[in-house]
C-alpha cells in the first residue's frame, strides 16, 4: 500500500518556535574581526585620519601625532565652526 505525499502539510506554531528561537541566537554566534585591524593601526607605522580647516581629511602618521603639541583642548562648537570658516551664528 502506497502512502500519499503530504503536499499540503502546514507548519504549526510548535514547528515555527525552534526556527524563531534559533534566529534570535545568530547575533551571539558571530564575532567581530575589525578589532584585529585596529590593533595593527596602533603601531608606529599606522595612520590616523584628521580634519583640515577647509573640511578635507588627511592621513597623518601616529608617530607624528605623538610628537605634536596640543594648542587648545576641548574647544566649543562655535569656536570650531569659526576655525572651519563657517558661520557660527544662528540664522533669523
Amino acid at each position: 500500500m502506497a502512502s500519499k505525499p503530504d503536499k499540503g502539510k502546514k507548519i504549526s506554531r510548535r514547528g515555527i518556535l525552534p526556527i524563531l528561537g534559533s534566529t534570535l541566537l545568530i547575533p551571539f554566534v558571530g564575532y567581530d574581526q575589525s578589532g584585529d585591524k585596529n590593533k595593527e593601526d596602533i603601531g608606529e607605522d599606522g595612520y590616523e585620519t584628521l580634519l583640515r580647516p577647509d573640511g578635507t581629511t588627511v592621513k597623518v602618521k601616529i608617530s607624528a601625532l605623538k610628537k605634536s603639541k596640543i594648542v587648545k583642548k576641548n574647544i566649543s562648537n562655535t569656536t570650531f565652526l569659526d576655525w572651519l570658516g563657517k558661520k557660527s551664528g544662528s540664522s533669523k
Side-chain angles (χ1 to χ4, degrees), residues 2 4 7-8 12-13 15 26 33 37-38 41 44 48-50 59-60 62 66 70 79 84 88-89 91:
K4 297 181 186 178
K7 289 184 180 180
S12 65
R13 281 188 233 161
I26 290 174
Q33 292 181 353
K37 293 177 185 175
N38 291 337
D41 289 343
E44 289 295 321
E48 181 75 27
T49 305
L50 299 176
K59 283 188 172 185
V60 180
I62 293 177
K66 289 179 181 177
I70 297 174
T79 307
L84 289 174
S88 63
S91 61

Side-chain angles (χ1 to χ4, degrees), residues 6-77:
D6 292 329
K7 289 184 180 180
K9 186 177 180 183
K10 295 184 179 184
I11 300 175
S12 65
R13 281 188 233 161
R14 187 172 280 191
I16 290 177
L17 283 176
I19 296 170
L20 182 64
S22 63
T23 58
L24 293 174
L25 294 175
I26 290 174
F28 297 110
V29 175
Y31 57 93
D32 186 23
Q33 292 181 353
S34 65
D36 296 336
K37 293 177 185 175
N38 291 337
K39 291 177 184 175
E40 293 172 3
D41 289 343
I42 294 175
E44 289 295 321
D45 57 340
Y47 289 91
E48 181 75 27
T49 305
L50 299 176
L51 182 67
R52 293 174 53 185
D54 60 353
T56 59
T57 58
V58 63
K59 283 188 172 185
V60 180
K61 285 188 178 182
I62 293 177
S63 60
L65 285 176
K66 289 179 181 177
K67 296 175 187 175
S68 66
K69 176 181 150 187
I70 297 174
V71 176
K72 190 172 182 183
K73 195 173 186 177
N74 297 333
I75 62 171
S76 67
N77 193 24

Side-chain angles (χ1 to χ4, degrees), residues 78 81-82 86-92:
T78 55
L81 288 173
D82 288 339
K86 303 193 182 211
K87 290 185 178 180
S88 63
S90 61
S91 61
K92 292 183 181 180

